Amino acid sequence: MRNMRIPMARRRAMAVVAAVLLAGGVAACGNSDTGGDGGDDGKLVLGFSQVGAESGWRTANTNSIKEAAAEAGIELKFDDAQQKQENQIKAIRNYIQQKVDVIAFSPVVESGWDTVLKEAKDAGIPVILTDRAVDSADKSLYKTFLGSDFVKEGRLSGEWLVENKKDATGDVNIVELQGTTGSAPANDRKKGFAEAIAADPKLKVIASQSGDFTRAGGKQVMEQFLKAHPKIDVLFAHNDDMGLGALEAITAEGKVPGKDITIITIDAVKDGMQALADGKFNFIAECSPLLGPQLMDLAKKVHAGEEVPPRIETEETTFTQEQAKEALPNRKY
Ligand code: GYE
């Protein structure tokens, strides 16, 4: 452990040297410990590579992680990868070089992680996946995966639609705004939704495209959908933000969201819940971003060499317009 007494002036000088050495590195957030177990004051050091800042969900997730680390007395090194896998790989390599105690990350896409995960394993640094999964066949490359069941979220959305449109006559035309191409939530939500709506042949997905989980993406792709398809009955957006962006496109076309077009989204962040309570959205499947406390707990356990379950699922629910009105005043994110 590195809990030794170093005079303040010297510690400051060391910190300055370290900061200079690390300047320019992706994960240069003030690490003055490059020597192994524990950070300053012997704190557990967790290197976390975040996907980006693409949505309200992500902001809430980042806040939860930062707050929980501070509360748990964990030294957090945080990097925002701006939705780019290459940046995440760089950040993880940086954490390996810095010999952090535990690495956690939310993989932007599912594939292409084996090499860097192997490097972490060889360095003896345990890895925790949070929020999104990887498709690595070798499960020994990470200790656990903490996050939601995205297939279930898609299925619950589809099941609600089947029920909601059961009395409709003629084809029900659905457009789908997918999340980031190749990401676990985009792949899984699409799958779960498709499985559920297969129960009713009149429910037809007539267009499906990625809006990259952003408001701007949702707006832009919805504009294209509206131009290309005169009859759109339903929008299924893989997150609230894309749905919120799409609202602008729908209103600009002179259509009434929530009435002319039934809107289903996933996440249930505050802005999404507000749109649902206001009658602009019709249904939201919740996806909780508050993973921080559980992540810190897991980081401590894997660092101590304790066994942890390979999969930890987040608990969540769904909201109708009435339920959103009730839940909104106490919504934390
Ligand atoms: O639904 C979306 C975010 O990975 C579950 O990423 C997360 C998704 C979330 O951008 O809003």
Side-chain angles (χ1 to χ4, degrees):
M1 297 303 262
R2 294 175 35 88
N3 202 4
M4 30 189 187
R5 300 207 164 270
I6 301 172
M8 201 51 194
R10 195 145 169 252
R11 286 175 70 150
R12 281 215 189 99
M14 283 165 69
V16 169
V17 170
V20 169
L21 284 176
L22 286 164
V26 278
C29 30
N31 180 22
S32 55
D33 178 76
T34 49
D37 196 17
D40 283 347
D41 311 322
K43 276 185 178 177
L44 188 156
V45 180
L46 172 67
F48 184 81
S49 166
Q50 179 61 291
V51 167
E54 74 283 3
S55 62
W57 191 99
R58 191 63 53 196
T59 307
N61 180 245
T62 292
N63 291 342
S64 168
I65 287 164
K66 287 184 174 170
E67 280 166 26
E71 243 163 63
I74 287 177
E75 186 183 328
L76 178 70
K77 293 179 178 304
F78 182 91
D79 181 69
D80 173 342
Q82 303 183 339
Q83 300 228 76
K84 292 203 178 73
Q85 182 173 34
E86 69 209 67
N87 290 346
Q88 288 203 295
I89 291 175
K90 248 195 235 167
I92 294 168
R93 293 213 162 111
N94 238 297
Y95 295 144
I96 296 172
Q97 229 175 12
Q98 293 171 35
K99 299 190 168 69
V100 300
D101 298 311
V102 179
I103 292 173
F105 77 117
S106 172
V108 58
V109 291
E110 283 189 281
S111 311
W113 298 102
D114 287 27
T115 308
V116 72
L117 288 178
K118 180 96 189 356
E119 287 166 24
K121 192 180 176 192
D122 291 346
I125 303 175
V127 172
I128 299 172
L129 302 179
T130 78
D131 158 33
R132 298 185 184 177
V134 299
D135 65 4
S136 304
D138 181 358
K139 305 285 178 232
S140 78
L141 293 177
Y142 55 91
K143 295 286 177 203
T144 180
F145 165 40
L146 164 69
S148 308
D149 181 343
F150 301 133
V151 178
K152 184 169 156 199
E153 292 165 355
R155 199 187 317 121
L156 291 170
S157 305
E159 282 169 2
W160 179 83
L161 189 64
V162 169
E163 177 60 24
N164 183 261
K165 298 289 180 194
K166 68 173 189 286
D167 298 327
T169 48
D171 281 352
V172 175
N173 289 346
I174 305 166
V175 294
E176 180 177 30
L177 281 169
Q178 296 179 36
T180 302
T181 306
S183 69
N187 293 342
D188 294 354
R189 287 169 183 170
K190 187 175 188 350
K191 184 169 177 260
F193 184 75
E195 277 169 16
I197 64 164
D200 184 347
K202 72 174 181 290
L203 301 180
K204 296 201 161 71
V205 177
I206 56 164
S208 180
Q209 211 178 299
S210 173
D212 210 15
F213 279 132
T214 65
R215 279 188 200 206
K219 180 172 179 228
Q220 202 203 327
V221 178
M222 192 66 200
E223 281 166 358
Q224 293 170 22
F225 284 163
L226 287 160
K227 271 200 195 89
H229 306 279
K231 183 182 178 288
I232 295 175
D233 303 304
V234 178
L235 164 64
F236 171 46
H238 287 188
N239 77 342
D240 289 342
D241 280 78
M242 290 191 295
L244 291 164
L247 287 183
E248 293 178 43
I250 293 168
T251 316
E253 276 291 302
K255 299 203 163 150
V256 184
K259 299 226 158 54
D260 296 335
I261 300 183
T262 302
I263 303 180
I264 304 168
T265 68
I266 296 178
D267 275 356
V269 295
K270 255 201 185 123
D271 289 352
M273 290 289 273
Q274 188 65 58
L276 185 59
D278 293 345
K280 294 174 183 162
F281 286 177
N282 302 80
F283 184 77
I284 303 182
E286 184 187 42
C287 178
S288 174
L290 305 180
L291 305 178
Q294 271 173 300
L295 173 60
M296 299 311 143
D297 197 44
L298 287 167
K300 285 184 178 169
K301 285 189 172 142
V302 299
H303 182 53
E306 282 176 41
E307 278 295 312
V308 292
R311 173 78 173 102
I312 299 161
E313 222 179 274
T314 323
E315 273 184 35
E316 34 223 18
T317 179
T318 60
F319 295 98
T320 59
Q321 292 173 338
E322 285 313 310
Q323 289 165 331
K325 278 183 209 155
E326 257 173 57
L328 204 50
N330 302 317
R331 205 73 188 148
K332 289 201 185 63
Y333 53 89

